[in-house]
Amino acid sequence: MSDLLAKRLCSVALSVLAVSFVSGCATNGSPSGDEGQMPLADSEAAFGYEQTEWGKPFWERWMDEARAQGRASVVGQNPTAGAPAQVGGGSAAMPVAMRPDLDGLRPKLGVYIAADQRDSLSAYRLMNTLDRYAAANGLTLVKPNELDESVGGSDACGAATPMGCPELLGIFPGIRALLVLDINSTSGGVAQVRARMVDTDFGIEYDAVSTELALRAKTLGDGSDVTVWSDHVLGTAADRISIAPWFAHSFALNGEDMYINAGRSSGLEADSTLAVHGEGSVVRSPAGRIIAWEPGPEEGRIRIKQFVGQNVAVAEQVSGRMPTPKDRLTLVE
């Protein structure tokens, strides 16, 4: 009897030891990983949120949600029902004729082509394709001529082209990023396209990428070089813009009201309420690049009264202080 009891006690002790060992691996293991370096903490915790999804930083979840909403608004599905769209050329964008009206918030992407390249057939084909696929990537496209008009004659910027005035363009016409295309046509209907992007609000300059594209008329259908390239470039732009939630700026006063650099084309609706935020906080990578923006405390609210065309709205003050052009205005759900 004593031998049986001893065996049972030994078995219990081994079980307890096994559980303790497993628990020790889960709770006391080094967070540094194989390299022995502490990983970057999810910055959402640093901002005081009670619940944190440690598997994915909050700026990546913003990115997923923004892309999912952009795609879902095109196909008419619930944006949270499925997985977010893949980045790049693997996702098939819908033809223009199949797109219903969009109701999601769509940041503006400015596309600039130098005046001496803008009227080439290659430039026309690139712009037409980008315009066709912008909505499928949750973006509103602002074209080169409109960018030129926004900078021309302005005392706020001494540069001759929009490329020298990214901050001004962020206020009006309100682009979240500037995509600069340099097009050099070669023989056989092939063009060397160099693309570089600047985040107008946060001053981030991304590396330029050069690609050879077949731009002959017979090579412009679905799955062609230019459609795959356009979907990839626009998807990349949408991902980069999504380091922050959607926001707008005020750019001029109209008596006691103000003009906002977003309208119906950006997905705003009449009577929408926007919160006024000051500088907020940025999150930087170990290399020093801004990778996320967290809105600062709400300092006021405004309400959309009416629209002026597709890209501008008139708003009135509701509470708090009036926004300045540098303040960022986020949608109040």
Side-chain angles (χ1 to χ4, degrees), residues 107-109 139 176-177 197 199 236-245:
K108 297 178 185 177
L109 175 68
L139 298 170
R176 270 292 286 114
M197 180 177 158
D199 186 308
T236 300
D239 289 344
R240 289 170 172 172
I241 288 171
S242 294
I243 65 172

Side-chain angles (χ1 to χ4, degrees), residues 28-322:
N28 298 325
S30 171
S32 59
D34 296 336
E35 293 79 19
Q37 297 178 349
M38 291 290 288
L40 286 176
D42 183 343
S43 298
E44 187 174 2
F47 290 123
Y49 290 91
E50 294 181 358
Q51 295 181 350
T52 301
E53 182 185 336
W54 289 98
K56 179 176 290 188
F58 74 96
W59 58 86
E60 291 185 10
R61 295 201 294 279
W62 272 339
M63 183 184 299
D64 291 345
E65 291 169 3
R67 294 298 308 282
Q69 288 173 2
R71 295 286 184 180
S73 64
V74 175
V75 300
Q77 66 182 18
N78 184 346
T80 61
Q86 293 181 349
V87 179
S91 54
M94 298 178 63
V96 174
M98 295 176 62
R99 288 182 183 146
D101 291 336
L102 303 178
D103 56 4
L105 292 174
R106 296 179 295 280
K108 297 178 185 177
L109 175 68
V111 179
Y112 187 76
I113 302 173
D116 59 346
Q117 300 176 2
R118 196 176 303 170
D119 293 330
S120 67
L121 192 57
S122 294
Y124 291 156
R125 287 171 173 166
L126 278 179
M127 285 303 307
N128 286 342
T129 308
L130 288 169
D131 195 29
R132 181 185 180 192
Y133 286 86
N137 285 278
L139 298 170
T140 297
L141 216 62
V142 179
K143 299 178 182 180
N145 289 342
E146 186 176 348
L147 296 177
D148 276 338
E149 292 170 0
S150 299
V151 171
S154 171
D155 295 333
C157 177
T161 69
M163 291 184 292
C165 305
E167 292 185 3
L168 177 63
L169 295 174
I171 302 299
F172 185 82
I175 62 173
R176 270 292 286 114
L178 176 64
L179 179 65
V180 181
L181 302 180
D182 185 21
I183 306 169
N184 293 307
S185 299
T186 60
S187 59
V190 176
Q192 185 80 21
V193 180
R194 182 176 182 267
R196 65 184 181 90
M197 180 177 158
V198 178
D199 186 308
T200 54
D201 253 76
F202 299 104
I204 307 170
E205 296 188 9
Y206 295 94
D207 293 337
V209 177
S210 295
T211 310
E212 282 193 350
L213 300 176
L215 292 174
R216 295 185 298 273
K218 64 180 180 180
T219 62
L220 297 181
D222 291 339
S224 65
D225 285 1
V226 68
T227 56
V228 172
W229 175 87
S230 296
D231 193 48
H232 173 73
V233 168
L234 292 168
T236 300
D239 289 344
R240 289 170 172 172
I241 288 171
S242 294
I243 65 172
W246 181 94
F247 59 78
H249 292 280
S250 64
F251 65 88
L253 294 177
N254 178 23
E256 295 183 354
D257 297 332
M258 69 214 76
Y259 289 108
I260 306 301
N261 63 8
R264 288 192 181 93
S265 69
S266 297
L268 283 180
E269 298 178 353
D271 293 327
S272 295
T273 299
L274 304 179
V276 180
H277 300 276
E279 189 65 23
S281 303
V282 296
V283 180
R284 296 182 181 273
S285 69
R289 171 163 287 182
I290 296 173
I291 55 176
W293 173 73
E294 172 72 0
E298 181 179 311
E299 300 177 9
R301 288 193 174 189
I302 62 174
R303 183 184 68 85
I304 302 299
K305 291 178 58 176
Q306 65 184 71
F307 295 108
V308 182
Q310 291 294 315
N311 295 303
V312 175
V314 177
E316 63 180 354
Q317 184 180 15
V318 174
S319 62
R321 66 172 179 83
M322 288 279 286

